[in-house]
């Protein structure tokens, strides 16, 4: 089996998210990105230890780990780690498949930006349109804090790849 060593990712829910953050140390293998759902990182981990990977975090607004995850995102910003926080209306549960797909697509665009995946204008355009549609849906539902977060992350993600002026 052919594996692109530059594109190994981990992910998990709750305690599995914590394990996903430790995988590169346990397996002594580099990791390009993590999708952490419903929890932060391993107990003995520090945010800077995860550099240079990309981290997509998903958490429910009513999840008992919400505050921990939100603080972790602030810590990631402080240490300069590429990250995205996706909050949705839920308690401590696996998110819908659409939100999981957002995480995968975010990692795909990050891989293109970093050069570990070949640039693909059609894929970039498709993911951008989905993100813009999500913001419009959130706005229609009156979820303004979610709209702001989606638009901010969209502008940041597509900076240098596609115009975000509209």
């Amino acid at each position: 089996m052919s594996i692109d060593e530059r594109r190994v990712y981990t992910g998990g829910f709750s305690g599995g998210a914590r394990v996903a953050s430790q995988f590169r140390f346990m397996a002594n293998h580099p990791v390009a990105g993590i999708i952490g759902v419903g929890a932060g990182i391993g107990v003995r981990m520090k945010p800077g230890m995860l550099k240079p990977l990309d981290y997509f975090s998903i958490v429910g607004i009513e999840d008992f780990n919400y505050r921990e995850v939100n603080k972790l995102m602030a810590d990631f910003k402080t240490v300069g780690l590429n990250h995205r926080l996706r909050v949705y209306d839920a308690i401590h549960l696996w998110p819908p498949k659409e939100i999981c797909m957002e995480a995968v697509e975010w990692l795909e665009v990050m891989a293109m930006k970093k050069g570990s995946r070949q640039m693909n204008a059609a894929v970039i355009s498709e993911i951008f349109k989905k993100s813009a549609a999500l913001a419009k849906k959130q706005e229609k539902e009156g979820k303004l804090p979610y709209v702001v977060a989606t638009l901010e992350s969209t502008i940041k993600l597509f900076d240098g790849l596609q115009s975000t002026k509209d």
Side-chain angles (χ1 to χ4, degrees), residues 40-112:
I41 58 178
V43 177
R44 292 185 181 90
M45 300 286 297
K46 302 284 184 230
M49 295 169 70
L50 296 175
K51 287 178 79 172
L53 60 74
D54 302 313
Y55 196 103
F56 194 103
S57 183
I58 304 168
V59 68
I61 192 77
E62 296 180 43
D63 190 314
F64 53 80
N65 286 327
Y66 174 81
R67 286 186 181 172
E68 171 196 350
V69 171
N70 206 37
K71 181 186 179 317
L72 180 63
M73 298 303 109
D75 293 342
F76 282 166
K77 186 174 184 176
T78 299
V79 299
L81 187 106
N82 291 322
H83 65 282
R84 162 81 163 104
L85 173 60
R86 176 59 157 91
V87 178
Y88 71 111
D89 294 329
I91 56 172
H92 191 69
L93 297 169
W94 270 104
K97 65 182 177 183
E98 296 82 15
I99 294 177
C100 293
M101 184 54 77
E102 283 178 48
V104 171
E105 291 170 341
W106 185 84
L107 288 169
E108 287 297 295
V109 173
M110 291 304 295
M112 286 185 229

Side-chain angles (χ1 to χ4, degrees), residues 21-29 31 45 49-51:
S21 72
Q22 299 170 325
F23 177 83
R24 76 185 232 195
F25 301 104
M26 295 183 309
N28 195 27
H29 193 282
V31 172
M45 300 286 297
M49 295 169 70
L50 296 175
K51 287 178 79 172

Side-chain angles (χ1 to χ4, degrees), residues 3-40:
I3 296 175
D4 184 343
E5 296 291 327
R6 302 170 302 159
R7 307 245 356 250
V8 173
Y9 300 92
T10 63
F13 172 69
S14 195
R18 298 181 197 289
V19 172
S21 72
Q22 299 170 325
F23 177 83
R24 76 185 232 195
F25 301 104
M26 295 183 309
N28 195 27
H29 193 282
V31 172
I34 296 172
I35 300 173
V37 182

